[in-house]
């Protein structure tokens, strides 16, 4: 019957939102829903969850369209780019770029996005503060290479002034006189 055909997945597509890749074949390895199978909302939800949990994507959604001979299921995906070279560090005088990269802890090939960089930047800020730079600010620049799905990252550090202890006083002191 016509209604039975309408609930069959006729085509499964992968649509890359952010950048074209030479091949999106690797995405299909996360999918269980295949053309010719009946529509199954739970299987589609499982596929979305598998894609999200893989850590390779920053965005995953689905779209279902009716065609004359069934349903077209599209997975809309944004790939999380991978670091293609060591993070460039600028504006740092007090601490070395190597030390800062060590605290960030990302290697070439690791997936990166601004949320990940911001989270890892907290360690850098904490280390600066331990060294009396309370006003340190970090600014991230993430550039994507559409041909490789790679990313280059630049971290610009604004160290601010180093805090200095000018004087201190002991309150409640009854024994030692003021100097």
């Amino acid at each position: 019957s016509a209604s039975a055909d309408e609930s069959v997945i006729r085509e499964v597509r992968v649509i890359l939102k952010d950048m074209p890749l030479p091949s999106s074949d690797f995405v299909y390895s996360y999918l269980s829903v295949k053309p010719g199978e009946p529509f199954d909302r739970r299987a589609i939800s499982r596929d979305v969850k598998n894609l999200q949990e893989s850590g390779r994507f920053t965005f995953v959604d689905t779209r279902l369209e009716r065609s004359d001979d069934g349903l077209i299921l599209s997975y809309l995906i944004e790939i999380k780019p991978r670091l293609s070279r060591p993070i460039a560090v600028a504006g740092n005088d007090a601490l070395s770029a190597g030390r800062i990269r060590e605290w960030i802890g990302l290697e070439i090939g690791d997936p990166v996005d601004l949320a990940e960089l911001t989270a890892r930047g907290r360690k850098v800020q904490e280390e600066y503060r331990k060294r009396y730079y309370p006003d340190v600010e970090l600014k991230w620049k993430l550039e994507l290479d559409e041909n490789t799905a790679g990313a280059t990252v630049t971290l610009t550090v604004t160290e601010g002034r180093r805090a200095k202890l000018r004087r201190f006083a002991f309150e409640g002191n009854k024994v030692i006189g003021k100097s």
Side-chain angles (χ1 to χ4, degrees):
S1 75
S3 63
D5 287 342
E6 288 174 11
S7 64
V8 171
I9 304 288
R10 289 289 167 218
E11 188 180 345
V12 176
R13 297 177 181 165
V14 171
I15 300 169
L16 298 170
K17 284 184 56 180
D18 49 354
M19 60 180 94
L21 283 180
S23 170
S24 58
D25 291 348
F26 76 96
V27 178
Y28 289 95
S29 67
Y30 293 98
L31 307 179
S32 64
V33 176
K34 306 282 185 251
E37 293 181 353
F39 174 76
D40 180 350
R41 191 176 304 281
R42 283 194 308 268
I44 294 168
S45 293
R46 245 188 335 270
D47 286 352
V48 168
K49 188 175 181 189
N50 287 340
L51 290 164
Q52 289 170 331
E53 290 178 351
S54 74
R56 296 187 68 176
F57 310 99
T58 56
F59 176 85
V60 179
D61 200 3
T62 56
R63 184 173 63 214
L64 204 57
E65 302 167 62
R66 295 201 177 283
S67 70
D68 294 339
D69 58 349
L71 299 170
I72 299 170
L73 173 62
S74 298
Y75 291 87
L76 302 124
I77 291 170
E78 200 169 288
I79 291 178
K80 186 182 280 193
R82 296 192 173 269
L83 194 60
S84 57
R85 63 174 175 246
I87 293 174
V89 182
N92 55 308
D93 293 322
L95 302 172
S96 74
R99 171 78 54 90
I100 291 169
R101 277 194 287 271
E102 199 176 293
W103 290 326
I104 294 168
L106 289 171
E107 303 293 329
I108 292 173
D110 286 345
V112 291
D113 60 14
L114 285 174
E116 180 74 22
L117 293 169
T118 301
R120 289 175 180 263
R122 288 189 191 103
K123 170 77 173 155
V124 175
Q125 288 175 307
E126 182 183 305
E127 292 295 335
Y128 261 98
R129 288 186 181 117
K130 283 182 193 172
R131 289 158 179 82
Y132 306 106
Y133 287 89
D135 301 323
V136 66
E137 291 181 15
L138 306 180
K139 186 171 181 226
W140 297 98
K141 183 176 177 191
L142 180 69
E143 293 180 87
L144 303 176
D145 180 338
E146 293 186 1
N147 299 317
T148 64
T152 56
V153 175
T154 304
L155 169 62
T156 304
V157 179
T158 306
E159 292 177 335
R161 292 177 56 144
R162 188 162 193 223
K164 292 186 174 100
L165 192 59
R166 300 229 186 270
R167 67 184 185 94
F168 58 92
F170 291 101
E171 289 191 21
N173 171 29
K174 304 281 188 235
V175 180
I176 302 172
K178 289 184 181 176
S179 56

